[in-house]
Amino acid sequence: ERGKFWREFFERLTRPELIEAVLASLEAEDHAHEVRSNGLSLSPSVKLVRDREGYELTPHRDHPTRFATVLYYIPVSDRTDLGTSVYRPLSNSVRRDAGVHGQRKNFELVSTVPFLANSCLGFLNLGPAYHGVEPIEGDASRFTVQYTLYVK
């Protein structure tokens, strides 16, 4: 029974209608059209992720094959501090560092999205979209459904 639920869950999240809804919510239809007009496609990937005490994700931009990401938060406690953080590089130089994780000392923490039920964070992998997760301290679990559109 559990297996059937998860198969249907993941199947529904990879339907073309949801891809188009995600693109619309991120106001990315023009960018997607540009990708598709070059003979490429957008392919969804869905993962259920659990991060635990000690986990951290240093500031980075995603690999260029990632077009967009939506993180659906599934809190199991009242820890709102477990959300994804957004960063600004301290250096103004334009760098080709997509997929490379930076040192926190080279970034300013701009904001951390509260880790709340029925909420999510979505972003396009364009420009300086630096993000990460501050170190998880104490007994905590961070569950997310990670929905990523890849350029293929």
Side-chain angles (χ1 to χ4, degrees):
E1 187 67 29
R2 236 187 275 168
K4 180 182 177 191
F5 168 82
W6 287 111
R7 279 190 303 279
E8 288 182 10
F9 179 79
F10 286 105
E11 185 274 327
R12 289 173 191 260
L13 288 178
T14 58
R15 288 183 179 171
E17 302 85 27
L18 185 60
I19 294 171
E20 297 309 313
V22 167
L23 293 173
S25 71
L26 295 173
E27 299 179 356
E29 297 100 325
D30 291 344
H31 297 295
H33 176 73
E34 184 177 334
V35 166
R36 292 168 173 155
S37 67
N38 285 310
L40 301 169
S41 64
L42 296 174
S43 178
S45 169
V46 181
K47 296 177 184 175
L48 178 61
V49 180
R50 179 183 185 188
D51 303 318
R52 299 178 186 189
E53 180 180 7
Y55 176 80
E56 66 178 296
L57 193 59
T58 57
H60 67 285
R61 293 184 306 150
D62 286 338
H63 189 273
T65 57
R66 287 183 174 210
F67 181 80
T69 298
V70 179
L71 301 169
Y72 298 92
Y73 295 154
I74 309 170
V76 293
S77 72
D78 58 358
R79 295 272 310 265
T80 61
D81 63 314
L82 302 176
T84 302
S85 296
V86 178
Y87 304 90
R88 180 180 303 121
L90 295 176
S91 167
N92 289 331
S93 64
V94 176
R95 303 181 340 222
R96 298 188 177 273
D97 61 355
V100 176
H101 292 250
Q103 296 180 342
R104 290 189 193 282
K105 68 180 183 179
N106 297 326
F107 293 86
E108 173 190 357
L109 173 63
V110 176
S111 180
T112 299
V113 177
F115 197 74
L116 298 171
N118 300 316
S119 66
C120 66
L121 169 66
F123 56 90
L124 298 175
N125 188 28
L126 301 173
Y130 290 96
H131 59 283
V133 177
E134 291 292 298
I136 296 176
E137 298 175 357
D139 185 24
S141 288
R142 177 183 190 267
F143 287 93
T144 57
V145 173
Q146 183 178 1
Y147 181 91
T148 305
L149 291 175
Y150 284 94
V151 176
K152 300 236 176 175

